Amino acid sequence: MKSAVLGIETSCDETSAALWVDDSLAAERTTTQLLHSQYGGVVPELASRAHEQLLAPAVRGVCEDAGLSMRDLTAVAVTNGPGLAGALLVGLSFAKGLALTAGIPLLGVNHLEGHLWSATASGQQVECPFLALLISGGHTMMVKVRAFGEYQVLGGTRDDAAGELLDKTGRMMGYPFPAGANLDRDRLLYDRSAKQSPIPRFPRARIADDPLSFSFSGLKTAVLYYMRRNYNMQDGKFQLDDQERVAISAGIMDAVGDILINGLEAAFNGPELRGLVVAGGVAASRYLTSRFQEFTSRRGIAFWAPPFNLCTDNAAMIAYVGRRRLQRGESSPLDLSLNPTASLESFSAK
Ligand code: KG4
Ligand code: ZN
C-alpha cells in the first residue's frame, strides 16, 4: 500500500467517511440524518450535534472495512465549504485533530468540486473536457471541467435549487422532507397508471438573456396557485387523492426535466465537450436520468452518472479530490478555515 487517504464530509445532513487506498475506493460509510424530516428541512444545530455523534464511528468503520488502522493513514481530506458552518466545523475540527496527532497532511476540499468527480470516484473513466450538471437540494449549476482543477461555472440557478423546488412542492402535496424521491417515484407511477388525472402543464421559465441560467421559483409559485385553485385546505393540508398527487408530481418532474434539458442544449452548443456528468441528490432521479440518457444519445455524447450512493453527499468524492491534490504535492495549513459560502471558481485555474 502506497497511500491511504481518509475523506470526511459533514457539510449538510449526511455524515460520511471514506478511504481511498492507492487508486481505488476501499470503503465508504454514510449516514443520512433522518431526524430532520419532521421539521420540513435541515435544522443546522441538530445537524452539527448528529455529526458529532456519527463521525468518529464512521471513521473507525471505514478503517475496519479496509483492514487498516488510523496509523496507516497517509492524509486526511475534509470538506471545508460550502455548507452549514456548524456542520462543517465538526468535520474540520476532527480532521485537524487527526492530522496533528497522526502527523499527516490535511487537505481542505471544496464540496462542489467533490461532486464534479463523483462519477470518477465510482471508478468510471470520465473524459475531459466534460460538462458537469450539479443538481442537489442546495445547488443547481453547469460547470465546464477542462481538467482536474480547471473549472468554469457556465450558469446556475437564479433562485431555488432543483432539489429545493422538489422538496417545497412535495411538502405542499403532503410529502415529508426530502420529497424528491417521492416525486420521482410518482412520475414513473403515472406512466404505469390508468392516467385518470391529466398531467397539469406548469411553466418552464427561461431567462431571456442567459440560456445557461435556471429559474425554479416561478414553477414553485405556479404549483402553489394550481393547488389553491383546485383543492380545499384542511388542517393546513391540501385535500388531494393519490391519483391527483401522482399527476401533479408528473407535471412538476416534466417541467424540471424540460428546464434542465433546455440548459444542457445551450451548454452543448459546440463540439468541444466530450460528455455529460451529473451529480447531486436530484441526479438519483430515474425519470431525469432517462431524460439525460435520451439527450446524450440524441447528441452522440457520453453520459456518466454516479451510482445512487455517490449522487448524494458522500466522503468518497472528497477522498478522491484529496488524493489527486496530494499527488500534486498540495496540502492545507493546519489553521485552515471553514468557508460556508465557498464558490467553485475560487478553486479554479483560470
Ligand atoms: O446532494 P444532496 O444529498 O444534498 C444536498 O442538497 O447537498 O441532495 C438532496 C436533494 C433533495 O432535494 C432530495 O429531494 C433530492 O436530492 N433527491 C431526489 C431523489 N433523491 C434525492 N430528487 C429526485 N429524485 C430522487 N430519486
Ligand atoms: Zn452536495
Side-chain angles (χ1 to χ4, degrees):
M1 185 191 74
K2 290 190 276 316
S3 117
V5 178
L6 173 70
I8 290 176
E9 157 64 42
T10 63
S11 66
C12 191
D13 59 341
E14 263 93 17
T15 312
S16 184
L19 256 178
W20 199 269
V21 177
D22 293 336
D23 293 322
S24 60
L25 180 64
E28 192 245 338
R29 284 198 187 197
T30 301
T31 308
T32 300
Q33 302 173 2
L34 300 174
L35 59 108
H36 303 286
S37 114
Q38 58 187 303
Y39 303 101
V42 178
V43 183
E45 183 59 25
L46 297 181
S48 312
R49 274 194 236 161
H51 285 310
E52 275 169 0
Q53 284 165 2
L54 295 166
L55 184 56
V59 170
R60 274 198 303 274
V62 290
C63 288
E64 262 167 46
D65 293 347
L68 298 179
S69 84
M70 297 268 208
R71 281 188 303 279
D72 297 320
L73 298 177
T74 318
V76 53
V78 61
T79 306
N80 70 320
L84 301 169
L88 288 166
L89 188 61
V90 176
L92 186 58
S93 309
F94 186 100
K96 282 182 181 177
L98 188 62
L100 195 66
T101 50
I104 53 175
L106 173 75
L107 296 132
V109 175
N110 180 298
H111 177 82
L112 302 173
E113 185 180 16
H115 274 304
L116 301 182
W117 297 102
S118 51
T120 318
S122 74
Q124 297 179 63
Q125 293 297 319
V126 170
E127 269 176 73
C128 292
F130 62 84
L131 184 90
L133 173 67
L134 172 56
I135 35 179
S136 72
H139 301 278
T140 299
M141 56 170 75
M142 293 192 293
V143 183
K144 187 196 263 188
V145 178
R146 287 197 208 89
F148 185 82
E150 290 183 35
Y151 314 121
Q152 183 189 358
V153 178
L154 298 182
T157 182
R158 297 274 180 105
D159 37 60
D160 290 348
E164 188 180 358
L165 173 273
L166 298 179
D167 294 337
K168 286 179 174 169
T169 52
R171 194 177 183 188
M172 292 175 205
M173 291 191 286
Y175 281 128
F177 172 87
N182 292 301
L183 274 77
D184 185 40
R185 188 207 52 213
D186 281 353
R187 180 66 194 83
L188 302 177
L189 265 179
Y190 186 86
D191 285 341
R192 280 184 250 128
S193 73
K195 304 187 176 58
Q196 279 161 12
S197 303
I199 296 184
R201 167 106 194 154
F202 296 121
R204 282 91 164 122
R206 279 178 190 252
I207 295 163
D209 58 343
D210 187 2
L212 295 168
S213 286
F214 302 106
S215 168
F216 291 100
S217 71
L219 174 55
K220 180 182 65 187
T221 312
V223 174
L224 178 63
Y225 286 179
Y226 178 86
M227 307 272 276
R228 281 193 186 148
R229 249 191 340 267
N230 291 286
Y231 304 104
N232 292 326
M233 263 231 172
Q234 221 173 55
D235 302 329
K237 286 190 179 136
F238 288 107
Q239 300 299 297
L240 66 170
D241 67 25
D242 286 351
Q243 277 204 350
E244 292 161 337
R245 191 178 291 113
V246 164
I248 297 170
S249 291
I252 297 166
M253 293 302 290
D254 283 1
V256 171
D258 285 352
I259 292 170
L260 294 174
I261 298 289
N262 285 343
L264 292 177
E265 295 278 7
F268 282 91
N269 64 353
E272 186 198 358
L273 295 165
R274 302 274 171 88
L276 172 67
V277 166
V278 291
V282 181
S285 159
R286 283 167 57 198
Y287 166 72
L288 293 175
T289 301
S290 71
R291 299 282 313 260
F292 300 142
Q293 267 160 350
E294 189 278 323
F295 168 79
T296 49
S297 68
R298 175 160 51 81
R299 301 284 295 249
I301 48 180
F303 177 49
W304 298 287
F308 173 77
N309 65 318
L310 300 190
C311 281
T312 50
D313 289 347
N314 66 86
M317 64 190 194
I318 304 303
Y320 173 82
V321 171
R323 156 97 168 129
R324 293 284 301 260
R325 295 207 175 278
L326 192 68
Q327 283 173 325
R328 289 151 56 117
E330 295 172 25
S331 68
S332 304
L334 274 179
D335 64 354
L336 174 72
S337 49
L338 53 91
N339 185 355
T341 57
S343 64
L344 191 60
E345 271 167 320
S346 59
F347 280 70
S348 10
K350 292 269 161 54

